[in-house]
Amino acid sequence: MTDFKDKIDLNKLPQHIAIIMDGNGRWAKKRGKLRIFGHESGVKAVRETTEAAAELGVKFITLFAFSTENWDRPKFEIDALMQLLVNTISKETKTLNDNNIKLVAIGDLKSLPKDCYQNLNKSIENTAKNTRMTLVLALSYSSKWEIMEAVKRIAKKVKEEQILPENITQKDFSDYLPTSILGIPDPELLIRTSGEYRISNFLLWQIAYAELYFTPTLWPDFRKENLYEAIFNYQTRERRFGKTSEQIKQNSNEQI
Ligand code: IPE
Ligand code: IPE
Ligand code: MG
């Protein structure tokens, strides 16, 4: 097996990696188990990925844990997932502190069950001073929802005559998104597991120029080495931002 960790250029790490953790249900089904067994098994992948990212020096990692659309799943699965969240967040807070990792969350958090919301807030408060890395949980999250929230707040400002519509900039808009409010830069790398090639309403504004990486690995099987491989793959790409390849090469030569 190739050791991708040794191939990673630590000076060119993405600052922020976002992950759509998908495939828990299929992982369980393959083993003749209930879907929730897949979710439970996914916790180990969360731990490994978070640890690997922190060890490398990645500054932000965002994990898509529950979407607004996931509320349409069977009640049994939602209840079990929320319980798993409550338990995991409480149990992992100490590890987060031991590793100097700050927890934050984005999404319609008030729609979470009360115990889940309270536990989450407790863990967020308890880890607020940590500085090594920020772990962002996207919970009851959908990008269109957060964009609409931002639109409504800007519309209110316009109505109150605090801002002129023609003066609204891209920066003004993104300043109303929770990612900016929390000081989270746009992800340079977006990973989706389980072989699905879609974004599923995740960080639509923020991934405008992210590199996309899709892997057939199901989330419960995702380990440190899978993260290293994704980062290595990201580092082989030329990010042009609309410019020509020649311009990019010239710029990097000038920097040397
Ligand atoms: C991802 O795994 C976890 C959540 C969406 C909560 P899934 O539960 O979507 O698993 P698959 O995609 O059905 O295999
Ligand atoms: C996306 O996975 C949401 C999370 C990973 C939490 P889904 O399994 O819900 O996405 P779709 O339905 O396959 O697009
Ligand atoms: Mg899925």
Side-chain angles (χ1 to χ4, degrees), residues 52 88 173 188:
T88 311
F173 180 77
E188 298 97 325

Side-chain angles (χ1 to χ4, degrees), residues 209 240-245 247-248 251:
Y209 255 110
R240 290 192 286 277
F241 300 98
K243 295 183 182 171
T244 65
S245 184
Q247 287 175 294
I248 302 297
N251 274 347

Side-chain angles (χ1 to χ4, degrees), residues 19-138:
I19 306 181
I20 302 173
M21 311 185 286
D22 197 18
N24 297 352
R26 278 163 283 167
W27 187 90
K29 204 174 168 195
K30 278 208 305 197
R31 287 159 178 80
K33 300 270 176 83
L34 291 177
R35 295 176 55 84
I36 189 65
F37 179 65
H39 298 315
E40 285 162 4
S41 305
V43 175
K44 188 174 162 71
V46 170
R47 228 179 268 131
E48 288 243 341
T49 307
T50 309
E51 203 178 290
E55 283 166 0
L56 284 174
V58 172
K59 283 294 171 196
F60 298 87
I61 179 155
T62 299
L63 303 178
F64 199 4
F66 193 83
S67 74
T68 309
E69 290 78 12
N70 290 147
W71 290 115
D72 292 332
R73 291 194 178 189
K75 188 177 179 308
F76 168 78
E77 182 172 346
I78 295 173
D79 289 349
L81 257 170
M82 291 300 146
Q83 203 46 53
L84 179 66
L85 257 167
V86 174
N87 295 341
T88 311
I89 291 168
S90 309
K91 253 195 268 170
E92 301 293 326
T93 305
K94 188 182 176 308
T95 317
L96 291 175
N97 276 330
D98 289 347
N99 290 292
N100 196 10
I101 297 169
K102 174 158 120 182
L103 180 73
V104 297
I106 56 173
D108 187 7
L109 305 179
K110 295 221 167 68
S111 68
L112 295 170
K114 212 170 155 212
D115 57 343
C116 189
Y117 181 69
Q118 285 172 342
N119 262 22
L120 180 68
N121 276 335
K122 238 192 272 168
S123 187
I124 289 174
E125 276 170 34
N126 282 339
T127 62
K129 290 203 176 71
N130 296 339
T131 53
R132 185 177 176 208
M133 186 179 82
T134 301
L135 168 61
V136 187
L137 280 187

